[in-house]
Amino acid sequence: MGVRGSGRSRYGGRLRRAVFAVLITGALVVPLSAAARPRIPAPPPAKLPPLSAVTLAGTYEANRADAAEAFRMAAAHGDRGRATADRALASPSHHLLAFDGRGPGRVTEVFGDLATARHIAVLVPGSDTTLDTYARFRAGALALHRRTGPRAAVVAWLGYDTPRMLGTAALTASRAEQGARGLERFVAELRAAVGPLPGVSLLCHSYGTVVCARAAAAADVQDIALVGSPGTGVDCAADLHTRARVWAARGGDDWIADVPHVRVDVFGTDVGFGTDPVSPAYGARVFAAGGGGHSGYFAPGSVSLANLARIVLGRMPEVTHA
């Protein structure tokens, strides 16, 4: 048993180092070789009053109108994919707190009633999430809302420019720093609108866990859940300097397990995000995520979705542990 275990350990170590080398190579080479995407025309974001229960309906209407105009401009530009995404968001069934169709795009969508919710979950996405791929992020938020029920509202927050999976930004904290400032502002606006009573949870996926870690100290939330994390840039949960409960999980088939959880200096820039949040050394509350892969944490019927819903609803004794 000892010999076989040592062999697996050596093989696993070689695999992780190889994967990390590929990622670093991708980070340095891909940005130089990838073709830039043409700019997609869209109107500037709508000018909106401060968020409140009274202004919600008008905010939703203004952002849907902006999405409809973005659809017309993208269609005229010949970008059928973006036009399709914009048209979907312009539908009356979408409750948009924010919309910006320029560049990769940003959108914040609400599922449920913010004005009456007793619990609010804010989902923070990882790499390669844009308006063009928003539908899959939205599907996860919708699945969570169906699981939590009418007592909770779920917010899909695509409020920052996410990095590409194979790109320098995916291995450094540069995009996370920008995203964290936006997330801090959003949580503050949300708190001002709904008051102190609803419990607010940050549910953070992949590179989004780095964003949440940067915002943790300033965000007035009760729970922070880190799923599929490459690391958060700190050595342990205590270094987040938050009063929130910190949770972590990783699916059994998530490839992120094979990425070394280290930080190294590459030409004066920190690459990687350090300690694995599901390791004992990190000190998070590790919960079961089942056997899913990197994109399966919000899949309907999954173990991870059930536990995330329990965290959002404050049902801590019901959360199953890994």
Side-chain angles (χ1 to χ4, degrees):
M1 291 293 290
V3 172
R4 289 198 297 270
S6 298
R8 284 197 300 269
S9 177
R10 287 195 298 270
Y11 174 76
R14 288 196 299 270
L15 176 61
R16 286 190 290 270
R17 286 193 293 272
V19 170
F20 197 54
V22 169
L23 287 173
I24 291 177
T25 301
L28 298 176
V29 174
V30 171
L32 299 177
S33 60
R37 179 175 179 168
R39 288 184 176 274
I40 303 169
K47 295 185 182 298
L48 302 169
L51 183 62
S52 72
V54 175
T55 63
L56 271 177
T59 294
Y60 295 157
E61 184 177 355
N63 284 313
R64 286 195 298 264
D66 223 30
E69 179 61 20
F71 156 66
R72 289 187 286 270
M73 294 175 72
H77 185 65
D79 193 316
R80 298 173 65 181
R82 176 59 63 85
T84 299
D86 290 337
R87 181 171 57 183
L89 289 169
S91 165
S93 63
H94 290 253
H95 296 162
L96 308 183
L97 285 179
F99 175 82
D100 186 349
R102 300 172 299 179
R106 299 184 184 186
V107 61
T108 301
E109 184 172 4
V110 177
F111 302 85
D113 189 346
L114 273 182
T116 62
R118 295 177 59 185
H119 309 276
I120 299 172
V122 179
L123 275 58
V124 181
S127 302
D128 292 328
T129 309
T130 65
L131 277 185
D132 302 293
T133 63
Y134 174 71
R136 68 188 184 198
F137 178 47
R138 183 182 191 273
L142 182 58
L144 178 65
H145 184 246
R146 287 171 175 162
R147 183 80 194 203
T148 55
R151 293 170 51 197
V154 174
V155 180
W157 184 81
L158 175 52
Y160 76 111
D161 293 339
T162 66
R164 291 180 299 167
M165 183 67 72
L166 289 179
T168 306
L171 296 176
T172 70
S174 58
R175 296 288 180 89
E177 295 287 356
Q178 299 167 13
R181 291 192 290 271
L183 183 58
E184 290 170 12
R185 288 192 299 270
F186 175 70
V187 172
E189 292 168 0
L190 188 61
R191 273 291 180 212
V194 303
L197 293 182
V200 178
S201 304
L202 295 181
L203 308 186
C204 321
H205 176 241
S206 194
Y207 188 86
T209 65
V210 189
V211 176
C212 289
R214 295 296 189 279
D220 182 9
V221 298
Q222 278 68 55
D223 292 276
I224 300 173
L226 313 169
V227 296
S229 178
T232 61
V234 299
D235 293 330
C236 62
D239 290 341
L240 297 176
H241 303 294
T242 177
R243 292 178 294 178
R245 290 176 290 257
V246 179
W247 305 80
R250 184 169 62 225
D253 198 30
D254 190 341
W255 58 262
I256 205 78
D258 292 322
V259 176
H261 288 82
V262 298
R263 285 197 303 274
V264 297
D265 183 276
V266 178
F267 305 128
T269 299
D270 282 342
V271 175
F273 303 108
T275 309
D276 186 348
V278 301
S279 70
Y282 194 82
R285 303 177 184 215
V286 180
F287 63 94
H294 192 64
S295 300
Y297 291 96
F298 296 90
S302 65
V303 172
S304 56
L305 183 69
N307 276 327
L308 287 167
R310 291 167 186 144
I311 290 169
V312 171
L313 295 173
R315 298 175 180 170
M316 306 312 164
E318 299 176 25
V319 176
T320 60
H321 296 274

